[in-house]
Amino acid sequence: MKIALDFYRRPDPVQVAHDLLGKYVYTNINGVLTGGRIVETEAYAHINDQACHSHLGRYTARTQIMYEPGGVAYVYLVYGRYALFNIITNEAGKADAVLIRGIEPTVGIPEMLLRRGVTEVKRNLTGGPGLLTQALGISTQHYGTDLTGTTIWLEDQQEPVAEDLILASPRVGIDYAGDDAALPWRFRIKGSKWTSPAR
DNA sequence: ACATTGATCCGCT
DNA sequence: GCGGATCAATGTA
């Protein structure tokens, strides 16, 4: 089942990030299907969260898509090298987002190896936010893509993740956010070898 | 128009 | 465990 808009438009991005674990993300780019199971996410909120690009109503050329109704892709370049794939959540004007940080590859593995320029199926194929975008072929040209369309979409395969397998911890790489960096808004499936290295 | 800064990854120690 | 790559977006003037 493709995930419908009401899933993304719920008001709490932390809940959406939590619920995305165990779901599947697919891309069909240049006619090639690739995809995998989501094992790591992070939530960003537009209020009371200095780490979020839209915090306190910042509205710029980069962040304008965040103010759309939930269910579109927010892709941006970080450190001049890596595209990061976010899902916009909540209703129009409430610019929340969930960053997809890690997936377990399931479909189109040969193509993903090719795109990543590696030969082994191990963590550095899709385990990390800048890596899974390369593997899935997601780039900044997918900024604003409708996630209920046929280029990038998510599916619920009815494989819920047991609550005691979900690890909530502080987000990484956002020291500039002050106290908000301590919020436990990073979700991982315990024991998955496809998440970012432990910290 | 210019200077600063990252929601990261990789290679070397 | 640490530092460098590398550049678009953002803030400041």
Side-chain angles (χ1 to χ4, degrees):
Chain A
M1 275 276 297
K2 191 174 286 191
I3 294 176
L5 288 175
D6 58 357
F7 178 92
Y8 303 114
R9 293 187 180 170
R10 289 178 292 162
D12 183 1
V14 179
Q15 185 69 47
V16 177
H18 170 280
D19 292 350
L20 279 171
L21 291 181
K23 301 291 192 288
Y24 287 74
V25 58
Y26 297 98
T27 63
N28 186 337
I29 293 177
N30 300 326
V32 185
L33 180 68
T34 54
R37 178 171 175 254
I38 298 173
V39 297
E40 179 171 352
T41 62
E42 276 181 6
Y44 289 85
H46 69 292
I47 46 169
N48 300 326
D49 178 14
Q50 293 185 55
C52 186
H53 290 164
S54 64
H55 85 94
L56 298 180
R58 242 161 76 202
Y59 187 94
T60 64
R62 182 178 66 160
T63 59
Q64 59 174 331
I65 201 73
M66 301 183 75
Y67 296 84
E68 296 286 313
V72 296
Y74 169 40
V75 183
Y76 75 99
L77 208 61
V78 70
Y79 299 112
R81 333 189 96 210
Y82 300 102
L84 267 56
F85 172 53
N86 298 255
I87 294 170
I88 297 308
T89 70
N90 213 330
E91 56 186 85
K94 299 189 177 174
D96 294 339
V98 175
L99 169 66
I100 305 301
R101 289 192 56 90
I103 67 171
E104 170 187 340
T106 57
V107 176
I109 289 175
E111 178 69 12
M112 293 197 273
L113 290 168
L114 205 62
R115 287 177 181 155
R116 288 279 300 113
V118 298
T119 54
E120 281 180 88
V121 178
K122 55 178 189 181
R123 196 181 64 213
N124 80 353
L125 180 61
T126 56
L131 302 181
L132 69 91
T133 50
Q134 276 183 22
L136 294 174
I138 297 174
S139 70
T140 51
Q141 67 178 286
H142 299 105
Y143 182 91
T145 299
D146 175 4
L147 297 177
T148 60
T150 55
T151 307
I152 308 173
W153 71 94
L154 285 78
E155 289 189 18
D156 185 350
Q157 311 270 63
Q158 308 296 332
E159 296 172 17
V161 180
E163 206 55 42
D164 60 1
L165 283 180
I166 295 182
L167 177 66
S169 57
R171 295 169 294 174
V172 290
I174 51 164
D175 293 346
Y176 61 87
D179 293 342
D180 294 334
L183 294 167
W185 286 2
R186 176 190 192 192
F187 297 97
R188 279 180 281 182
I189 296 181
K190 256 184 226 176
S192 171
K193 63 177 202 177
W194 298 98
T195 61
S196 299
R199 261 251 238 147

